[in-house]
Amino acid sequence: MSPEARLEKILRADPVVWPAIETAAGLGLPDCWIVSGAIYNTVWNHLTERPPGYGLKDIDLFYFDNDTSWETEDRVIRRCTPLFTGPVPIEIRNQARVHLWYEQHYGRAIAPIRNCRQAIDDFAALSHSIGVRLVDGRLQTYAPYGLEMIFDLRVVPNTANPNRATHRLKGARTLATWPEVAIEPWPEDPAITQAGPRTDFDGLLSLLHRAFAFMDGRIDPPSSLNRLDIPAFREKVTSETCYLAHLDCRLAGCVFCDERDDRLYVGKLAVDPALHGRGIGSLLMQQAEALARVRGLPLLELQTRIELSENYAAFLKMGFTETGQTAHGGYARPTSRTMAKAL
């Protein structure tokens, strides 16, 4: 079975996305496609045995009308949106108008788009570049970079355009939603993965000891890391979500995330001291934020020791604020600051 036939079989069996494809075909809009996430997310849900519609924020519909007035696009949106009655909202956009608002939204200007295929060509990831439509009952697929990446559960950046920030954000959300998907990093960025049973726990423990060595003799009481061994870390990876950063196949950093009531607790954020200044800690924190958003948690929380003023300052720069101070057992003075960040 060809990749196109395999894709069509999956889409036709999906009760969320296929009705949207059928509805789009009856709108009479020029150059009309259902694109991107609705397609590859549906494939990933099928391959990972998740329910239809899982992880879909919306279904993107592109069309191309040379009338670039907002009034005309607004009439199309108001006419067509009520026709999509599925559980996932539809987002309808005239690609001929994108250059008019793109700079305000994304911070850089782009030239006018010529047609919807060009818009699909320019997505932030090569694996996201896909559109489908029904023509006379037959499914047409436009995938300029092929379908193999989707079926291989890979996200590959499109470096032809300056999409680094978008690729990072989408990659973080994808990993938080479908941890089986491999996110190929932007050049010079670390690769972020979720730890599992096959993790190199010796290497992970060694990284943490290197990263936390500067605390020795500075904090009282000593770090709880000193009481953890390999079995304890295996259990921690099972009960919490641990993300790893690798740079040139070298373990560069990690962060542990633990869901607690209405918040995601961030612990053991660590970066190899030899790799400081590369933005690795910020990328790991971005991944933690993505996980919290996917789980519907409105708050990140962490603790930092009173003595580590540089850590406190770094978390303030990341958008955290101090919400309280606590003392370890047996200490009359505060030993830790609690910090939180609203999402």
Side-chain angles (χ1 to χ4, degrees):
M1 184 182 295
S2 69
E4 290 78 12
R6 189 181 178 193
L7 174 65
E8 181 169 356
K9 182 178 180 180
I10 292 170
L11 291 177
R12 283 185 180 273
D14 189 271
V16 174
V17 172
W18 187 254
I21 295 172
E22 290 183 310
T23 300
L27 298 177
L29 295 175
D31 196 14
C32 180
W33 302 80
I34 298 293
V35 304
S36 198
I39 312 305
Y40 60 79
N41 290 167
T42 299
V43 173
W44 292 345
N45 286 339
H46 172 78
L47 295 177
T48 61
E49 299 182 340
R50 289 184 168 88
Y54 171 80
L56 280 182
K57 294 191 300 181
D58 52 42
I59 296 174
D60 291 310
L61 185 152
F62 284 8
Y63 72 100
F64 194 91
D65 182 353
N66 285 316
D67 183 342
T68 59
S69 68
W70 160 242
E71 291 77 15
T72 299
E73 184 181 34
D74 186 50
R75 282 197 297 270
V76 169
I77 292 171
R78 287 188 284 109
R79 173 177 70 86
C80 297
T81 298
L83 302 177
F84 293 85
T85 58
V88 179
I90 193 79
E91 184 168 290
I92 302 169
R93 292 292 180 267
N94 180 11
Q95 296 305 292
R97 293 194 70 253
V98 169
H99 68 285
L100 300 177
W101 51 260
Y102 193 92
E103 183 174 11
Q104 182 177 2
H105 194 75
Y106 291 106
R108 64 181 178 89
I110 61 169
I113 295 170
R114 299 185 302 275
N115 52 52
C116 284
R117 292 183 183 232
Q118 183 198 349
I120 294 169
D121 292 343
D122 290 342
F123 282 146
L126 302 181
S127 38
H128 292 177
S129 298
I130 181 171
V132 300
R133 63 183 178 183
L134 276 176
V135 179
D136 297 327
R138 302 184 63 180
L139 190 72
Q140 288 188 357
T141 299
Y142 179 65
Y145 311 109
L147 297 172
E148 290 78 8
M149 290 173 285
I150 298 174
F151 287 109
D152 290 343
L153 299 172
R154 290 189 298 129
V155 172
V156 180
N158 184 356
T159 57
N161 294 308
N163 290 319
R164 184 180 193 176
T166 302
H167 178 68
R168 284 177 168 182
L169 285 171
K170 288 183 176 291
R173 182 182 182 275
T174 295
L175 184 59
T177 311
W178 295 273
E180 303 90 345
V181 175
I183 312 298
E184 183 175 313
W186 194 269
E188 300 183 2
D189 275 357
I192 309 295
T193 59
Q194 184 171 322
R198 300 178 64 182
T199 294
D200 175 9
F201 289 98
D202 288 312
L204 177 58
L205 187 57
S206 176
L207 165 75
L208 283 160
H209 278 295
R210 293 196 306 276
F212 287 7
F214 80 101
M215 301 181 188
D216 293 344
R218 289 187 60 190
I219 62 173
D220 182 31
S223 171
S224 61
L225 176 65
N226 298 329
R227 301 190 300 272
L228 296 177
D229 55 14
I230 297 299
F233 266 101
R234 288 185 183 276
E235 172 60 29
K236 193 172 179 65
V237 165
T238 300
S239 61
E240 301 179 19
T241 301
C242 174
Y243 292 113
L244 307 174
H246 284 86
L247 196 59
D248 299 326
C249 299
R250 171 185 176 184
L251 182 60
C254 70
V255 65
F256 284 82
C257 304
D258 185 21
E259 185 172 337
R260 300 180 180 179
D261 298 323
D262 63 342
R263 63 202 63 207
L264 190 73
Y265 183 82
V266 179
K268 297 290 186 289
L269 174 65
V271 175
D272 190 316
L275 298 172
H276 282 180
R278 303 285 293 270
I280 296 170
S282 295
L283 283 177
L284 287 166
M285 191 63 79
Q286 183 181 71
Q287 185 61 58
E289 288 189 23
L291 180 63
R293 294 181 192 277
V294 165
R295 294 188 178 180
L297 302 173
L299 205 66
L300 289 183
E301 187 175 80
L302 56 80
Q303 287 190 310
T304 184
R305 292 298 189 91
I306 293 288
E307 298 93 339
L308 303 180
S309 56
E310 65 273 41
N311 284 12
Y312 178 66
F315 292 131
L316 287 175
K317 288 182 65 175
M318 291 182 186
F320 286 82
T321 57
E322 184 173 343
T323 58
Q325 297 185 359
T326 59
H328 285 75
Y331 286 76
R333 61 171 178 82
T335 55
S336 295
R337 304 178 193 268
T338 301
M339 305 185 74
K341 180 179 180 178
L343 301 178

